[in-house]
Amino acid sequence: MDGEPSDRDLSRVEPQGARVHDDQMHLIIEASPSAMILVDGAGRIVLVNSEAERSFGYTREELLRMNVDALVPASARDSHVHARENYLVHPSRRGMGVGRELYGVRKDGTELPIEIGLNPITIDDEPHVLASIIDITERRRGQAEADAQRQAQQLRTILATLPLSVIATDLTGRIVTANPAAEELVGYRQEELVGSSLTAIDAERRRGVEVDVPVLRDTGTAVEWSYRRKDGRVVPVSEEVVVLKDDDGTPTGYLVVAFDITQRIEAREAVDHILHHDQLTDLPNRTQLVEKLDVAMDRARHEGTEVALLLLDLDHFNRINDTLGHHIGDELLLAVADRLRSWVRGSDLVARLGGDEFAIVMDDLTPGTDLSGRISGMLASLLAPIQVQGYDVVVTASIGGTTFPGDGESPATLLRHADVAMYRAKASGRDSLAWFDAAMVEEVNEKLALSGALRNALAHGELAVVYQPQFDLVEGRLIGFEALARWHSAELGTVSPDRFIPVAEDSGLIVELGEWVLRTACADIAVLQRAVKVPLRLAVNASPRQLHGGGWVEQVSSALADSGLEPWQLGIEITEGILLEDNGVAVASLQELRSIGVQVIVDDFGCGYSSLAYLTRFPIDKIKIDRSFVAPIGSVDDDAAVVDAIIGMAHALGMVVVAEGVETEAQEAYLRSHGCDQVQGYRYGKGVPLGDAARIPHSLEPVPSTPQTLGA
Ligand code: C2E
Ligand code: CA
Ligand code: CA
């Protein structure tokens, strides 16, 4: 309000020189369907129509006492005043809001959306503005409704086609609406769902909970859950709950969005199965074994019970795999897996750790339970021949056993100790069980220390080679020597080959050591035969590792070439094990050696596991009868039948026979009379350094039945 004269009305407008008369003006604006307001240059309202009264809620009298600025909301007033003044100066700029969405303010203070059209009019030479104001409240409302309807329709379409189950509930968890995907997911129709509680379809956590507000809470992220369908089937779902709120932020209900994750769960389970099982036998694998051990050990700690861990390794499995083929090897592993499975109790676990290695966990044992008897029974049951593809195969196993508590505090320690025990079982002749004890670890540690010292010995020349003579029994003459390694350690004193050779084999040092012995011996024997002026044979021991590593044949050829020895002068002594546990590589190298003329000798013959007939499959020139068969000859419990058999079969197969460890005259006589070809032993001399080897007589002590032959 602007304090203008109070009773101003149309009749009192002074139309001095007006081009438009009051009456005319009145009629014109009254006819207009919109509110019309005429204002003078200062914004004073000078003329209004009935529609203006109705729109703004003022009476004509009130309006005519007001300034038009009072009809503008306070927030827009400054810019309105500015625009109005501007407009009066430059009417052509029409900056006062034509076509813009503006608001007017009613007498009761409420705002009304308006559109304004402005017309400059000069009345009595004074600039006036005639404003035509259209109330667009109705138009706005219509638009909003149409918008809302369209949005609702869109929402329905989205919900109907969405592959997600969408269920809306009120604050008590009662279902208000559900989309088709929800119907399909839970197997209920919309009508059945609406009005019932969400707990009706929950298969887990919310089940049994009274319908209540805390039943649902805004999860914010998807959680794995499950629903119970109408047909009773449980479906795993991923579910996300969103709190619905009104404009004030007051919660009004929940929106529960879910989808079926059966496939996700199945895929996860399949992966989990793979991660916990051995592919071939489907037995649990190492991962599951460790998990089981963890649980079993925990339980034993609480309940004062015991756990046993057995590590089981099949004997000579490689031999089966290589000779009969991998598919038969696989079938055998499956059969063994079955036997082990049926041997254990329900709560025990049989795992395959890879290759031919299995493990068994037996938990919940009463302290002091004697398992050895049961395990022997299992070993015996393994012995029953397994039929695979027409073959009868017999497998035996070596078992290392540990128990908790006692043998280790963690699954890893128990496993390591079981492994140590298993190697002990293997070493003690296979097909046996060894329980872990702490001394075994000391042995392992000692081996480690020894291997360090041996590495130094190789580098610092502490090793030497000695030569033990071999004689032909028939002709009684010196044939040659076996090279034997010696170690005189500055630190440890003399270390026997029986101690350092296994260490060298385990640590891999044997490859370097073996090559050094080979080159030294070849060179030495070449020197020796030039001195004694007779061709000499040389036998050199070789370990599996040497034959398996590449380059062995090249090493031999180059040692021969460098020394000048002929290939026939050299023999390589190997043990049966090399042949039996070989995967083809060692036999191939032996064959190659033989093809260049080097002899292959089987050492320690008879104490292995094989029959001579089996050995016919391999390239062999000579058999060396083990000392353990020679020693009893002539004694009371003499069982020379084995020696007879070996000599007979070797000869039948065209092999030469040498007996080692010959110490007595009786032994020599027996061997000669039974056709043994050659001898070696303390009776003829121990291993001696090269210098002493030159002084060894070239013939055996005079024997009546054989003419004495002095060196050629
Ligand atoms: P081996 O190859 O069976 O060697 C024969 C062993 O019997 C030697 O023991 C030898 O001194 C011993 N011996 C010989 N005649 C008699 C006898 O009449 N009575 C008795 N009681 N023993 C006799 P050594 O030198 O202690 O060697 C032990 C083992 O160490 C060897 O057994 C062989 O397996 C291994 N070895 C020695 N040198 C080498 C080598 O250079 N390379 C490889 N890989 N192994 C070697
Ligand atoms: Ca030997
Ligand atoms: Ca031997």
Side-chain angles (χ1 to χ4, degrees):
M1 306 248 201
D2 57 6
E4 278 295 302
S6 60
D7 55 347
R8 197 165 182 179
D9 75 358
L10 183 63
S11 60
R12 291 187 56 204
V13 173
E14 306 294 325
Q16 298 165 15
R19 285 170 206 152
V20 184
H21 285 287
D22 283 357
D23 288 350
Q24 272 177 303
M25 191 69 171
H26 190 130
L27 286 174
I28 291 168
I29 66 170
E30 203 52 47
S32 164
S34 44
M36 303 290 275
I37 297 178
L38 180 68
V39 299
D40 68 9
R44 282 182 298 250
I45 299 175
V46 295
L47 192 64
V48 295
N49 67 356
S50 315
E51 187 60 26
E53 289 176 278
R54 205 188 55 73
S55 295
F56 287 93
Y58 290 100
T59 63
R60 179 178 307 244
E61 289 70 30
E62 285 170 325
L63 285 169
L64 291 176
R65 281 196 296 272
M66 290 164 59
N67 189 295
V68 73
D69 297 345
L71 298 178
V72 173
S75 61
R77 200 159 296 154
D78 280 354
S79 67
H80 167 79
V81 172
H82 180 72
R84 177 168 53 73
E85 284 164 355
N86 228 1
Y87 180 75
L88 288 170
V89 182
H90 308 288
S92 62
R93 289 193 191 157
R94 301 208 149 207
M96 247 179 103
V98 177
R100 279 197 292 162
E101 285 195 354
L102 299 169
Y103 286 88
V105 66
R106 294 196 188 90
K107 188 181 180 184
D108 65 9
T110 58
E111 295 189 350
L112 73 156
I114 52 172
E115 244 176 48
I116 302 182
L118 298 174
N119 296 282
I121 296 178
T122 303
I123 299 172
D124 300 337
D125 291 330
E126 289 293 320
H128 283 69
V129 177
L130 180 63
S132 121
I133 298 153
I134 302 166
D135 180 345
I136 56 170
T137 311
E138 287 306 312
R139 196 201 299 170
R140 282 272 177 91
R141 186 175 298 142
Q143 226 165 35
E145 264 168 27
D147 282 355
Q149 261 178 18
R150 201 169 43 247
Q151 275 176 11
Q153 180 55 41
Q154 275 174 354
L155 204 60
R156 271 194 297 278
T157 313
I158 291 172
L159 286 178
T161 54
L162 204 64
L164 299 172
S165 154
V166 181
I167 294 175
T169 74
D170 63 14
L171 284 173
T172 70
R174 206 163 284 287
I175 297 173
V176 176
T177 173
N179 73 345
E183 291 180 303
E184 186 163 335
L185 181 63
V186 297
Y188 290 99
R189 287 195 317 279
Q190 156 104 1
E191 307 86 87
E192 296 172 294
L193 287 171
V194 171
S196 57
S197 163
L198 191 66
T199 54
I201 58 163
D202 275 331
E204 44 185 319
R205 280 180 279 175
R206 290 186 302 239
R207 247 177 97 73
V209 177
E210 284 303 308
V211 176
D212 202 353
V213 184
V215 163
L216 286 171
R217 67 188 151 58
D218 203 337
T219 51
T221 78
V223 292
E224 289 188 0
W225 202 275
S226 55
Y227 288 168
R228 188 177 304 278
R229 287 171 50 85
K230 191 179 181 183
D231 60 19
R233 192 157 60 81
V234 172
V235 205
V237 296
S238 168
E239 185 189 76
E240 184 163 352
V241 176
V242 183
V243 177
L244 296 172
K245 292 175 181 155
D246 66 12
D247 292 346
D248 303 336
T250 317
T252 57
Y254 299 95
L255 198 64
V256 183
V257 182
F259 58 93
D260 185 341
I261 53 168
T262 305
Q263 288 188 345
R264 182 203 289 179
I265 302 272
E266 279 171 2
R268 198 159 59 203
E269 280 169 0
V271 169
D272 194 64
H273 188 89
I274 290 169
L275 291 178
H276 285 88
H277 289 81
D278 163 51
Q279 299 248 29
L280 175 67
T281 59
D282 206 39
L283 283 175
N285 63 6
R286 186 180 294 269
T287 308
Q288 206 179 328
L289 174 84
V290 172
E291 286 172 8
K292 164 86 178 180
L293 269 179
D294 249 337
V295 172
M297 286 161 79
D298 249 8
R299 186 163 164 205
R301 277 187 198 102
H302 286 111
E303 299 178 5
T305 52
E306 285 188 352
V307 181
L309 167 67
L310 309 177
L311 219 56
L312 184 147
D313 194 282
L314 301 186
D315 300 327
H316 308 307
F317 180 72
N318 284 342
R319 176 165 93 203
I320 291 156
N321 234 358
D322 295 340
T323 51
L324 301 180
H326 284 273
H327 52 292
I328 291 191
D330 284 355
E331 272 189 46
L332 208 65
L333 289 172
L334 284 169
V336 169
D338 274 347
R339 285 188 186 183
L340 293 178
R341 234 183 249 139
S342 61
W343 177 73
V344 296
R345 305 166 305 164
S347 62
D348 297 340
L349 178 114
V350 184
R352 179 170 175 235
L353 304 185
D356 54 352
E357 202 174 54
F358 296 84
I360 296 171
V361 179
M362 303 166 79
D363 63 352
D364 204 18
L365 300 167
T366 315
T369 307
D370 178 31
L371 291 173
S372 297
R374 292 188 51 205
I375 295 168
S376 306
M378 187 248 285
L379 281 171
S381 80
L382 273 183
L383 274 176
I386 297 172
Q387 278 258 337
V388 272
Q389 308 208 345
Y391 293 91
D392 263 345
V393 186
V394 176
V395 288
T396 61
S398 301
I399 299 180
T402 44
T403 53
F404 172 85
D407 292 344
E409 274 303 308
S410 67
T413 316
L414 270 193
L415 268 166
R416 206 172 52 242
H417 288 170
D419 204 46
V420 169
M422 197 267 288
Y423 274 97
R424 170 57 62 87
K426 279 242 185 279
S428 67
R430 297 161 200 255
D431 189 18
S432 63
L433 162 71
W435 289 103
F436 172 78
D437 80 68
M440 294 179 184
V441 175
E442 272 162 39
E443 224 169 86
V444 170
N445 288 341
E446 194 211 27
K447 272 193 176 180
L448 277 178
L450 212 56
S451 85
L454 185 59
R455 199 177 298 276
N456 278 333
L458 263 168
H460 297 106
E462 284 184 359
L463 292 172
V465 183
V466 295
Y467 300 93
Q468 187 178 28
Q470 297 179 325
F471 289 86
D472 184 307
L473 255 190
V474 180
E475 297 172 13
R477 73 184 161 80
L478 174 71
I479 308 166
F481 298 87
E482 175 178 4
L484 295 164
R486 291 290 177 264
W487 179 15
H488 302 288
S489 162
E491 218 179 306
L492 306 164
T494 298
V495 185
S496 125
D498 287 328
R499 268 184 77 203
F500 73 79
I501 294 293
V503 169
E505 284 174 339
D506 286 352
S507 63
L509 278 173
I510 192 69
V511 175
E512 205 181 319
L513 187 152
E515 185 181 6
W516 179 81
V517 170
L518 174 73
R519 301 194 71 89
T520 307
C522 284
D524 282 356
I525 294 300
V527 169
L528 187 62
Q529 73 177 0
R530 275 197 293 277
V532 300
K533 299 191 178 60
V534 273
L536 295 170
R537 288 186 187 268
L538 166 66
V540 176
N541 296 286
S543 293
R545 284 280 271 271
Q546 292 170 266
L547 272 73
H548 283 129
W552 161 249
V553 178
E554 288 71 23
Q555 278 177 25
V556 173
S557 311
S558 117
L560 285 173
D562 292 354
S563 64
L565 288 187
E566 300 287 332
W568 65 266
Q569 294 181 271
L570 181 65
I572 300 298
E573 292 194 5
I574 54 158
T575 53
E576 288 160 279
I578 290 186
L579 301 172
L580 301 184
E581 274 157 37
D582 179 45
N583 55 13
V585 178
V587 171
S589 344
L590 292 174
Q591 237 137 14
E592 219 178 317
L593 280 183
R594 253 186 132 209
S595 71
I596 60 173
V598 173
Q599 290 205 328
V600 174
I601 304 161
V602 177
D603 202 354
D604 305 339
F605 188 82
C607 48
Y609 347 86
S610 54
S611 68
L612 220 144
Y614 182 76
L615 291 182
T616 59
R617 298 185 49 243
F618 300 109
I620 299 160
D621 299 287
K622 199 190 243 189
I623 295 282
K624 199 169 193 181
I625 301 177
D626 191 63
R627 196 161 72 232
S628 60
F629 297 102
V630 175
I633 295 174
S635 70
V636 192
D637 53 347
D638 159 18
D639 178 20
V642 181
V643 174
D644 283 355
I646 293 174
I647 295 170
M649 284 193 75
H651 283 170
L653 293 166
M655 296 171 185
V656 173
V657 182
V658 52
E660 75 177 335
V662 181
E663 295 182 357
T664 65
E665 197 181 341
Q667 288 164 353
E668 182 188 309
Y670 182 94
L671 289 165
R672 179 182 290 107
S673 65
H674 284 83
C676 180
D677 304 295
Q678 302 170 355
V679 285
Q680 172 183 354
Y682 290 172
R683 176 165 163 79
Y684 318 104
K686 296 190 173 184
V688 291
L690 181 66
D692 300 337
R695 286 192 285 274
I696 288 174
H698 293 187
S699 63
L700 293 173
E701 290 302 306
V703 174
S705 60
T706 317
Q708 187 186 354
T709 21
L710 290 164

